[in-house]
Amino acid sequence: MTGPLMAYAADQLKERFTVHELWKAEDKAAALAELKDRVRGVAGGGAHIKIDGALFDALPKLEVVSNFGVGYDNVDAAEAGRRGLIVTNTPDVLTDEVADLAIGLLLATVRQLPQVDRYLREGKWLAGAYPLTTSLRKRKIGIVGLGRIGKAVAHRLEAFGVEIAYHGRSRQADVAYRYYPSLVEMAQDVDTLVSVAPGGDSTYRIINAEVLEALGPNGIVVNVGRGTVIDEPALIKALQDKTILSAGLDVFEDEPRVPAELIALDHVVLLPHVGSASVHTREQMGQLLVDNLKSWFDGKGPLTPVVETPWKKA
């Protein structure tokens, strides 16, 4: 195990396997040297230890990496694929939870719910009503990354009667929403961006100053994907200069370190990466991590391999 997992998953792993908690080792290099001929699987949790070529070199008997989370930018999956290793993640089980949170964060940002709560608690209602806010009514929503979670967000947004568009690597034949191959062009035509895009080189800071400028002074950005998708300095400047109206963020570029400039802004909503953070969903994610390892070592292959390490049963 490269990082701590909730007891629900960790206890099951310890019942079935000999588990080495690498993140606890004071001298990790020495621990890896001692384990190099024994470790065949990795349970990856969090960003405590990078799961990359260096770790693969240290564990020559490694066969499979089971990652906790649908995102796996902490794992060099491409390198794993080149070496014939299997990497799995935990899709689907967190889709609804993250989509629910995205809608909640969008509403909280649009209607300034945290700010309104503080207004009441500070006794300011006694002096007068809270100023009117913007509304979700008549907003045009552009979804960045229409994968499983993006589709679930779009499905929920349909109930609000808003216009929906999306940007991604390619047009999807099974959806009726308008597709934009250019993120800037979509930003020009919508006033709200909801990013559910994964991390990685292909999405690094794609929501940049040009996109924010195109979004305009009524624009709102919500991010429940990966913090690296947004150019944070550009976002901070756009919020300070009122180039856009507001932002609701559950993810950041260098977690858990959030820029002081963002925290100082009262017209944004900031959450500590809690998109899937319910007991129910984290237990389901942990169970899928465990089930992937059990299935692999039972000779049945992985349950949810990532695209970089596809699996075909012999």
Side-chain angles (χ1 to χ4, degrees), residues 27-102:
D27 187 338
K28 294 178 178 57
L32 287 169
E34 194 275 327
L35 296 172
K36 68 183 183 68
D37 293 324
R38 299 162 58 194
V39 172
R40 297 171 56 201
V42 164
H48 291 75
I49 296 171
K50 184 71 175 176
I51 303 173
D52 57 9
L55 186 66
F56 302 152
D57 287 340
L59 300 173
K61 304 295 185 182
L62 185 63
E63 301 169 15
V64 61
V65 174
S66 186
N67 186 66
F68 183 84
V70 63
Y72 50 95
D73 39 320
N74 61 310
V75 180
D76 190 341
E79 179 61 22
R82 285 190 287 271
R83 296 179 183 230
L85 305 176
I86 291 293
V87 176
T88 68
N89 64 342
T90 59
D92 298 322
V93 293
L94 50 67
T95 296
D96 287 332
E97 204 74 79
V98 177
D100 289 349
L101 189 282

Side-chain angles (χ1 to χ4, degrees), residues 154-173:
H155 176 69
R156 286 156 172 75
L157 284 171
E158 288 176 2
F160 291 90
V162 296
E163 187 176 322
I164 302 168
Y166 72 100
H167 165 76
R169 286 174 294 185
S170 59
R171 183 190 303 273
Q172 300 192 34

Side-chain angles (χ1 to χ4, degrees), residues 103-171:
I103 298 300
L105 182 54
L106 173 61
L107 290 171
T109 306
V110 169
R111 295 302 309 277
Q112 301 178 13
L113 298 185
Q115 296 92 328
V116 173
D117 176 84
R118 292 196 294 270
Y119 187 88
L120 181 148
R121 292 175 187 273
E122 293 167 1
K124 295 180 179 179
W125 193 14
L126 297 170
Y130 189 84
L132 300 180
T133 70
T134 188
S135 171
L136 197 60
R137 307 280 71 75
K138 297 184 179 180
R139 278 195 170 267
K140 297 179 179 180
I141 314 290
I143 297 175
V144 184
L146 199 71
R148 294 179 180 91
I149 299 172
K151 286 187 173 73
V153 170
H155 176 69
R156 286 156 172 75
L157 284 171
E158 288 176 2
F160 291 90
V162 296
E163 187 176 322
I164 302 168
Y166 72 100
H167 165 76
R169 286 174 294 185
S170 59
R171 183 190 303 273

